[in-house]
Amino acid sequence: MKLAVILLILATTYAYTIVPTLDIDLDGPAKQRFQPAVQLILNTYGYDASFGAFFSYHNETTFKHLTSKDYDVLATSVRTHWPQYAQELEGIVEAFNRTDVTFEYMAAWAYFHEIGHSLSVNIKECTAILLQTKEGIIHGRNMDQSPDAGRLLVVHFKFIKNGQYIGEAVDQYWFKTGFVTMFKYGVVSLQENWRYGHYLPLFMLLKKIAAGTTSLGWTFRHILDSDINNFDDAVTYLENVIVACSQYNIVAGTGYNQGAIISRDPISTYPTLFFNNTGLGNDQFQYMVQTNYDHWHKDPKGDQRRTIAENLLANLTSTMQNELGAYSVINTYPIHNEGTFYTAIMNVATGRFNYFGQEGITPFNDLE
């Protein structure tokens, strides 16, 4: 209880923006599910300062490379293979009510990560830490992106099915109807990180999408919506689902040693890292860290986030081997950096899902 109060104080004191919360009834009409979120952001910040700035930035770095035919392929695939998500996207388009936000454009956003990999777009970093404690596995998550306008898009969602709350998510990508940070009650916490691995040329990527390959964000939706109800089944699904881009899936469950870092690639396969084969920590205290580089290689000299986080975790005192300790690590520069949009501290064993809108931080020399 004390930790929850401390984290609440941190959230209200240091948050860059207040992250709004909305319910989504998964049994309700698909078109209506995300419309309140679009309207909330537009009413609060206006289009130009929020979605407009975010879309404009990624149009220049990513979507301007697509042809009208490419957009048609993406739209047709979503409508053909993913009718539920297509209806949700149609509802989002209706909520925008703008000629420049079409279904074709939102279908491209649904595959934003896959297209970005194909075009070798330089996406910002993200960090995951898994800390095994007496109170369960604490899952810390930083989401880093650009531009700053994306901070205004971060929304916290609570999902309802059969009249019961079944999970939560916090994200700025929700308008593509997929999520990269999710929490299914009593089952798993989930996070996706960008991986600098193999990529598919755009023409090959579009062929895979046309054949029905899922969007990265929809894999977590599947775990939320389906009868996957334990850690092992979630890991098995994420290890085997066909993917169209390189990625890391970080998963934590409710039981001892139920932590995993799954390295995926559209071409090659890699072994999953579990607590019992990390070599980090001891029987009572274990931890894992994943940024954007393969954990079997050393950190690049220019990005030492994983090394720094591992060193900080290794030196946590026994009184800090908890959610507050996890937050102190993930809130340290450069783990928390200029591009950090939000932080989540999750523990499926206790049912706690804490989230914080974050301000970007930059080091400075206060002696000058």
Side-chain angles (χ1 to χ4, degrees):
M1 181 63 183
K2 290 181 180 179
L3 286 175
V5 172
I6 292 171
L7 289 169
L8 176 62
I9 292 171
L10 288 171
T12 57
T13 303
Y14 296 105
Y16 179 78
T17 57
I18 295 174
V19 177
T21 296
L22 292 173
D23 286 355
I24 290 186
D25 187 347
L26 296 173
D27 297 319
K31 265 193 173 185
Q32 298 175 14
R33 291 173 188 165
F34 291 94
Q35 288 181 334
V38 175
Q39 293 159 354
L40 174 65
I41 300 301
L42 293 178
N43 292 339
T44 305
Y45 303 111
Y47 178 81
D48 291 341
S50 58
F51 290 107
F54 196 69
F55 289 171
S56 178
Y57 177 89
H58 291 290
N59 288 345
E60 284 300 308
T61 60
T62 304
F63 296 117
K64 73 176 183 181
H65 300 287
L66 300 182
T67 67
S68 58
K69 183 179 179 180
D70 297 336
Y71 281 109
D72 289 341
V73 169
L74 292 162
T76 299
S77 177
V78 173
R79 286 193 169 107
T80 301
H81 300 289
W82 310 102
Q84 176 187 194
Y85 302 143
Q87 290 180 52
E88 292 175 349
L89 290 173
E90 287 172 357
I92 288 170
V93 171
E94 286 184 5
F96 274 111
N97 192 26
R98 295 176 59 91
T99 58
D100 56 345
V101 181
T102 63
F103 181 86
E104 288 75 14
Y105 182 63
M106 297 313 298
W109 263 107
Y111 286 93
F112 165 73
H113 289 82
E114 289 80 2
I115 296 168
H117 276 86
S118 181
L119 299 173
S120 298
V121 175
N122 185 23
I123 298 296
K124 289 284 188 177
E125 307 91 356
C126 292
T127 300
I129 64 173
L130 297 180
L131 174 62
Q132 184 154 251
T133 71
K134 295 177 181 178
E135 293 189 350
I137 297 172
I138 299 166
H139 183 168
R141 191 285 198 265
N142 273 356
M143 159 56 71
D144 308 334
Q145 244 298 3
S146 291
D148 280 350
R151 302 178 196 278
L152 306 182
L153 308 184
V154 178
V155 178
H156 168 238
F157 294 95
K158 299 181 73 175
F159 300 97
I160 301 168
K161 192 171 185 178
N162 298 324
Q164 302 289 325
Y165 285 104
I166 63 168
E168 304 179 44
V170 61
D171 222 317
Q172 80 274 12
Y173 291 126
W174 54 266
F175 57 85
K176 68 197 207 84
T177 74
F179 296 89
V180 294
T181 307
M182 185 165 275
F183 188 86
K184 185 171 184 177
Y185 295 146
V187 183
V188 286
S189 56
L190 300 163
Q191 169 183 346
E192 181 275 335
N193 281 12
W194 186 276
R195 176 175 179 265
Y196 294 104
H198 296 120
Y199 66 91
L200 298 175
L202 185 59
F203 79 94
M204 290 183 63
L205 171 65
L206 292 171
K207 283 185 176 181
K208 284 183 73 75
I209 293 173
T213 298
T214 185
S215 156
L216 170 154
W218 293 338
T219 57
F220 292 176
R221 280 289 304 270
H222 174 75
I223 291 174
L224 179 75
D225 295 347
S226 71
D227 59 358
I228 292 176
N229 58 12
N230 61 68
F231 171 81
D232 291 337
D233 287 350
V235 169
T236 298
Y237 166 71
L238 292 171
E239 286 178 326
N240 291 284
V241 63
I242 297 174
V243 299
C245 69
S246 295
Q247 60 195 267
Y248 301 107
N249 289 307
I250 299 90
V251 189
T254 59
Y256 181 72
N257 271 348
Q258 287 192 343
I261 296 173
I262 304 167
S263 304
R264 294 302 312 274
D265 190 281
I267 298 173
S268 303
T269 58
Y270 305 97
T272 296
L273 183 69
F274 294 98
F275 270 121
N276 58 4
N277 62 9
T278 67
L280 299 178
N282 52 55
D283 291 342
Q284 288 75 42
F285 172 61
Q286 292 176 295
Y287 54 89
M288 294 191 287
V289 179
Q290 181 61 60
T291 55
N292 304 98
Y293 313 98
D294 293 333
H295 49 74
W296 53 90
H297 297 307
K298 292 183 178 180
D299 269 346
K301 290 183 179 180
D303 189 351
Q304 294 285 303
R305 283 173 297 129
R306 188 184 76 215
T307 301
I308 292 169
E310 288 176 349
N311 289 339
L312 289 169
L313 288 166
N315 287 286
L316 283 179
T317 64
S318 58
T319 58
M320 290 293 284
Q321 293 172 11
N322 49 40
E323 292 173 21
L324 185 58
Y327 180 83
S328 70
V329 170
I330 209 159
N331 203 43
T332 300
Y333 189 86
I335 306 162
H336 177 180
N337 54 66
E338 295 86 350
T340 303
F341 279 15
Y342 65 81
T343 295
I345 303 293
M346 304 172 276
N347 187 334
V348 186
T350 62
R352 287 198 289 266
F353 183 92
N354 297 294
Y355 53 93
F356 314 93
Q358 289 282 31
E359 184 175 356
I361 60 174
T362 304
F364 67 96
N365 185 351
D366 58 359
L367 298 178
E368 293 181 350

